Amino acid sequence: MQCCPGRSDSDGAICVAEGMSSVLPFEIKRVYYSYGVKEGILRGFHAHKKLQQLLICVYGSIEVTLDDGRGMIESIILDNPANGLYVGPSTWRTIKWLKGNSVLLVLASEHYDESDYIRDYNNFLAWRIKQEG
Ligand code: T46
């Protein structure tokens, strides 16, 4: 979890994520956000071959489960807009809306490219084995 640097005072706070910094090790080519999602909904269920992203829950509470395909699985709760979760390539992700209408902001290293997605879990495991070989 990265803590985005910024400033806060009695009027609120500002968080900053600059490209090619310790918070964000890539230049931002795309920004998108998911909203209007009901509590309990699961999204994701895919990995990326190349894409790097920083995930920030700017409102609400979202659980992100990351699986490296080699036995390491961890779940992280994003519920603080001052924090960002870096997700690199070759990581299977599942995203659960713990609170309805939470907003997930994503800073991405590449433009949208459907061919970068691996949307089948067995294909993901095969991709990981191919990478090791
Ligand atoms: C990720 C998680 C956190 C586009 O046309 N352009 C885009 O930039 C994006 C992100 C999506 N789409 C299309 C592709 C699908 O037809 O929007 C539809 C929904 O995308 P998807 O089912 O991949 O949504 P999520 O929430 O499962 O995943 C998204 C990102 O796709 C993914 O990279 O890491 O958010």
Side-chain angles (χ1 to χ4, degrees):
M1 189 86 77
Q2 312 276 14
C3 185
C4 302
R7 284 166 177 264
S8 64
D9 57 29
S10 57
D11 293 333
I14 289 178
C15 276
V16 182
E18 293 193 348
M20 296 309 288
S21 66
S22 56
V23 173
L24 203 62
F26 55 83
E27 293 292 2
I28 301 164
K29 286 196 184 160
R30 180 168 51 113
V31 174
Y32 62 91
Y33 47 94
S34 304
Y35 67 101
V37 181
K38 292 196 175 89
E39 181 179 323
I41 292 289
L42 290 160
R43 300 180 65 105
F45 301 104
H46 61 258
H48 286 280
K49 297 173 188 168
K50 185 176 163 195
L51 189 70
Q52 304 177 70
Q53 304 191 110
L54 192 77
L55 275 53
I56 303 163
C57 178
V58 290
Y59 170 76
S61 180
I62 291 172
E63 181 183 57
V64 181
T65 300
L66 301 177
D67 173 353
D68 73 353
R70 292 173 174 166
M72 210 185 89
I73 299 175
E74 62 174 332
S75 292
I76 303 107
I77 292 177
L78 302 179
D79 57 5
N80 181 343
N83 293 331
L85 178 67
Y86 172 82
V87 181
S90 302
T91 308
W92 188 264
R93 82 255 356 237
T94 310
I95 304 151
K96 184 176 183 182
W97 260 249
L98 298 179
K99 180 176 174 178
N101 288 322
S102 299
V103 180
L104 182 64
L105 172 68
V106 182
L107 312 180
S109 66
E110 307 296 332
H111 296 148
Y112 175 70
D113 176 7
E114 187 58 38
S115 72
D116 188 65
Y117 284 74
I118 306 171
R119 292 192 184 269
D120 176 275
Y121 190 72
N122 288 328
N123 288 347
F124 167 63
L125 294 179
W127 163 263
R128 295 298 275 147
I129 289 167
K130 200 170 134 196
Q131 280 186 319
E132 282 167 15

